[in-house]
Amino acid sequence: MRDLSEPQLKQDILRHLTYTLGKDAAHASTYDWRMALSFAIRDRIVEPWFASTRKTWDTGHKRVYYLSMEFLIGRLLEDATINLGLRDMAEQVMAELGQDFRTIVEDEPDAALGNGGLGRLAACFMESMATVGCPAYGYGIRYEHGLFRQRFEGGRQVESPEDWLTQRHPWEFERPEAAYTIPFKGHLETRDGRDVWVPGETVLAEAYDTPVIGWQGKWANTLRLWGAKPTTLFDLDRFNRGDYAAAAAPETLARTLSRVLYPDDTTYQGKELRLKQEFFLTSAALQDILRRFKAGGFMLRDLPKHVAIQMNDTHPAIAGPELIRLLVDENGMEFMEAMEVARACLGYTNHTLLPEALERWATFTFGNVLPRHMQIIERIDHWHRDTYHPPHWVGIVKHHEVRMGELAFIMSHKVNGVSALHSDLVKKNLFAELDGLHPRIINQTNGVTPRRWLKMCNRPLAGLITDTIGEGWEADLDRLRELEPHAKKSAFLADFDAAKRANKVALAGWIKEHCGVTVSADALFDVQVKRIHEYKRQLLNILETIARYHDIKADPKKDWVPRVKIFGGKAAPGYAVAKEIIHLINDVAAVVNSDPDVGDRLKVVYPENYNVSMAERLIPAADLSEQISTAGKEASGTGNMKFMMNGAPTIGTLDGANVEILQEVGDENFFLFGLTAEEVMKRRQNPDHARDAITASQPLQDVLQMIAEGRFSPSEPGRYHELVHRVWHHDYFLVASDFDAYREAQAQVDTAYADRKRWLRMAALNTARSGFFSSDRTIRGYMADVWDVKSAL
Ligand SMILES: *Cc1c(COP(=O)(O)O)cnc(C)c1O
């Protein structure tokens, strides 16, 4: 076993600095020290990682393969030290070496290989699978450029490419020997009565492995990301003729496949490159899975006994036909048997009901890029129609389109939604007919890893929890319930208050530095951070902010509860309405923050470039969690769970996992408002719903009037005419209909916050009752209900 002592750590850091980085300590930069520390920590992961792999091989244990186009990982250094139990030692050693641990940690760029919730879920799942000892591989794409960087110019969002890989990425191991050829295009031929695909293009998928270490280093799994390489490296003839650009063309073309992450997962992208990326990930993963399986010496028909494959949304739904292709065309299995084997291995997680996000491909495009798969899909569809006689509108290929949701459903043995409400809607609406024919929809409510989202990001609160109930809650989060009796005691509540306040003071300093706005740590920190989307209703929040501003101006002497409204989040670059909302928030912030009548009663801040690291800073300092989506639209949410764990009560609608948060925490500790999913559908039947709601609400009229008059855009009074017009005449997401209820709920928040004891008790009970939202619980659910796999610990 490796020596985990402090002198050894110090020695290893210095050794890496000298021999891996070639730097003299006297001239080493923060970057050099970070690399040296990262390599020293990585060394300590390698042994448990090998041990886990060996044990899985030796016992022939079933493995889980998690296929996802996104992994929103964030930073890894501090997370690794925490799971190894070496965090404080690392801080100490770095201090002895004259380095500040926080500075080192914050030098690491975020690995932002995802857009938002879906990608972050995949990252939490990887950590939880390692923690509970579920042997697993995550498969994704090693995007050279992750999610774009956001900045504001004149209040408008401006995007620039993100470049996390320009620095050395110390956590990964390149595996040039693990490479697979990925075919595209070309045509089909018949040889000896069999269909043979003759591809027109190929690229190479090369593996890069990152070990993922679980809590206390008891188990480690692999995140295997694929980078695209050309199969023919270089055109030497052309180079010799002096045509350098053309000579490099094959390389450039191949690399495009893993160049960029599509910056939107809530809209379907009908682009050939996107389809190629999806196939690239899926085919590389399945080829790797079959290679590993065969190395174990098993029969292919036993694949489901040893392999469970989970599709994170429909992005890897080509896995069904691709697995059939590999089994039939490359391994000689009969078609029907291959289909049964594939279905027994595959599971599909649905993440959205938004119609614009449901993937469909024109059969023309699909058949062009993947001709053999088009043929296989038509065969599956025929078989399904002839065997089950679904209604005529149900099927995989309809109106010259391939529907990936239906494909994923039919090719899986289990389909799950991500919260109780969402799974119910998937069953009743999206896949009603299919589920009638093949009942297979279950629910697995999302979760988040408490190691990153409590232990690591909120040291004051984590310390208090350990002092109060002892160690061990990190991997047994239900134990937080033991805090409940303490939530009645004023000494504990004072400590809880002090922990929150320390986070708020730290955040206030950071806001001053990054936004130039002075905020008081005595104010209520009201936080809405997530992707900017109409259904998430940042617009509702900013309209209420304007109403509050209006009321403060009208009666500045009233005993206002001071508030800081904190926004964070990116809009997809092509999403004009979302970008307009960003602009409005920034315009409102400029006016409110500089109005001398307002002072500390209200501040609005919107730091640029929301990402995992910013979430880790904002959420522990939040007093109030904004989860105000139009009911029926947010599949689960996971931000809501992070806030709850960190002791921030929710103001929210009955949507996604809010429903279960409310259930756990009790309605006296949750600010519920708004239409229910059913009422939303009914309300929309009234074509005048927006106008009716606005005419019934004087405050809302005042707010819309202020915006329309250009109060927040004096240099361009007409800037928001269209936006105001949309609220009056369209308002698909029912901002107007929920406005009064939201405002009333915000008034209740003020009242509750002014009662210190009551508020602290609410906040503490949110933490105490958040145990259900550990992703360990979610993973155990998948292991039992979907994957049929046991812990290897
Ligand atoms: C948790 C998280 C999300 C998801 O937030 P929701 O509020 O559930 O949409 C998105 N982005 C980042 C960076 C996160 O950490």
Side-chain angles (χ1 to χ4, degrees), residues 454-455 458-474 477 479-483 486 492 496 499 645-646 764 767-768 770:
L454 182 51
K455 179 89 175 169
N458 196 343
R459 286 171 60 80
L461 180 55
L464 174 61
I465 293 170
T466 303
D467 289 347
T468 310
I469 64 171
E471 294 185 347
W473 54 269
E474 295 92 339
L477 207 65
R479 280 200 51 213
L480 292 182
R481 286 261 173 197
E482 293 169 27
L483 292 170
H486 300 273
F492 176 80
F496 195 91
M645 256 175 219
N646 285 277
T767 299
S770 66

Side-chain angles (χ1 to χ4, degrees), residues 41-168:
I41 294 296
R42 190 182 74 173
D43 290 347
R44 285 152 176 75
I45 296 177
V46 169
E47 272 166 29
W49 188 32
F50 286 179
S52 302
T53 309
R54 268 198 299 272
K55 187 164 179 194
T56 309
W57 277 108
D58 293 349
T59 55
H61 207 284
K62 188 170 184 177
R63 291 181 180 89
V64 171
Y65 295 101
Y66 196 81
L67 271 58
S68 179
M69 285 286 279
E70 305 194 3
F71 287 90
L72 187 49
I73 298 164
R75 294 176 177 143
L76 285 172
L77 173 55
E78 190 176 14
D79 184 57
T81 62
I82 291 219
N83 276 1
L84 289 169
L86 298 174
R87 192 210 167 278
D88 292 346
M89 187 194 292
E91 181 165 24
Q92 174 65 29
V93 169
M94 292 317 282
E96 285 165 21
L97 293 167
Q99 302 302 312
D100 173 48
F101 183 69
R102 275 258 57 85
T103 308
I104 300 279
V105 158
E106 289 178 13
D107 182 59
E108 182 177 354
D110 270 42
L113 310 184
N115 275 287
L118 173 144
R120 185 53 234 175
L121 184 77
C124 282
F125 278 9
M126 288 306 297
E127 200 272 355
S128 275
M129 287 191 285
T131 290
V132 308
C134 173
Y137 278 78
Y139 281 119
I141 295 179
R142 185 177 178 272
Y143 301 106
E144 274 173 55
H145 304 287
L147 187 59
F148 66 87
R149 191 182 291 279
Q150 175 199 57
R151 78 196 134 80
F152 299 137
E153 276 179 16
R156 284 192 179 84
Q157 170 174 297
V158 178
E159 304 95 24
S160 53
E162 176 275 357
D163 56 358
W164 71 298
L165 282 179
T166 53
Q167 299 181 345
R168 197 161 170 179

Side-chain angles (χ1 to χ4, degrees), residues 72 115-118 120 448 453 529-531 535-536 610-613 615 619 627 634 636-640 642-643:
L72 187 49
N115 275 287
L118 173 144
R120 185 53 234 175
V448 300
W453 294 110
V529 286
K530 48 184 73 246
R531 286 300 286 259
Y535 85 79
K536 292 178 182 277
Y610 178 63
N611 59 12
V612 170
S613 295
I619 292 170
Q627 309 299 337
E634 187 74 86
S636 163
T638 47
N640 48 3
K642 301 169 196 165
F643 281 98

Side-chain angles (χ1 to χ4, degrees), residues 478-611:
D478 290 327
R479 280 200 51 213
L480 292 182
R481 286 261 173 197
E482 293 169 27
L483 292 170
E484 278 201 29
H486 300 273
K488 293 192 183 77
K489 300 180 193 157
S490 24
F492 176 80
L493 291 181
D495 290 344
F496 195 91
D497 194 16
K500 181 63 80 183
R501 195 178 164 84
N503 297 330
K504 289 173 71 175
V505 168
L507 180 60
W510 185 86
I511 287 173
K512 177 77 196 160
E513 190 182 329
H514 286 81
C515 310
V517 180
T518 307
V519 300
S520 160
D522 294 325
L524 187 163
F525 283 16
D526 168 337
V527 185
Q528 186 173 24
V529 286
K530 48 184 73 246
R531 286 300 286 259
I532 309 299
H533 205 289
E534 285 166 283
Y535 85 79
K536 292 178 182 277
R537 296 201 296 192
Q538 284 90 358
L539 181 59
L540 178 59
N541 189 348
I542 198 64
L543 295 185
E544 193 272 339
T545 307
I546 295 170
R548 185 171 286 261
Y549 174 60
H550 174 275
D551 294 349
I552 291 171
K553 296 278 282 180
D555 186 7
K557 294 255 158 9
K558 205 180 120 181
D559 57 342
W560 291 98
V561 176
R563 256 212 219 219
V564 183
K565 288 264 191 178
I566 302 171
F567 292 85
K570 298 175 184 178
Y575 192 171
V577 175
K579 289 180 139 180
E580 210 178 7
I581 294 169
I582 291 178
H583 199 182
L584 176 61
I585 296 170
N586 281 321
D587 277 350
V588 171
V591 169
V592 169
N593 295 346
S594 63
D595 190 327
D597 297 346
V598 175
D600 272 349
R601 296 178 191 88
L602 181 61
K603 289 277 182 260
V604 182
V605 293
Y606 193 163
E608 298 169 317
N609 202 42
Y610 178 63
N611 59 12

